[in-house]
Amino acid sequence: LGRRKEATAVEPLIRALQMDGAIEVREQAAQSLGMIGGEQAREALEYYADHSIFPTIRRVAAAVLGELPPPAPAGEAITGTPVTQGRS
């Protein structure tokens, strides 16, 4: 899912990161979220990097975050072009 960048998989991956009983599944979910990227994935990874009860998940989430490109500044599109409101 991560390699295919399936954006529809973000929510199920977050649930797996949060609740799956197998630590390996949680690790893979974090890695897949990093491959997919996006704001929702970043927010989940930031949360689990700081708050997971599992040290391994905190480390994996932090490592994945370190590989993500920085988020676009507010008011800018991904291309770096400012987003304008209304007509020009």
Side-chain angles (χ1 to χ4, degrees), residues 22-42:
I23 198 79
E24 296 83 8
V25 172
R26 289 179 186 228
E27 289 176 18
Q28 187 60 49
Q31 292 170 351
S32 293
L33 286 168
M35 289 180 200
I36 295 169
E39 185 177 337
Q40 189 177 14
R42 178 183 296 280

Side-chain angles (χ1 to χ4, degrees), residues 24-79:
E24 296 83 8
V25 172
R26 289 179 186 228
E27 289 176 18
Q28 187 60 49
Q31 292 170 351
S32 293
L33 286 168
M35 289 180 200
I36 295 169
E39 185 177 337
Q40 189 177 14
R42 178 183 296 280
E43 288 174 0
L45 290 166
E46 287 172 346
Y47 178 83
Y48 287 100
D50 290 335
H51 298 98
S52 178
I53 62 170
F54 302 104
T56 301
I57 298 306
R58 289 194 305 269
R59 283 191 298 273
V60 169
V64 169
L65 280 169
E67 295 173 6
L68 290 178
E76 288 193 17
I78 293 174
T79 62

Side-chain angles (χ1 to χ4, degrees), residues 5-24:
K5 300 198 183 279
E6 294 282 341
T8 58
V10 170
E11 288 186 24
L13 287 168
I14 291 171
R15 282 193 299 275
L17 179 59
Q18 179 182 23
M19 297 186 294
D20 200 275
I23 198 79
E24 296 83 8

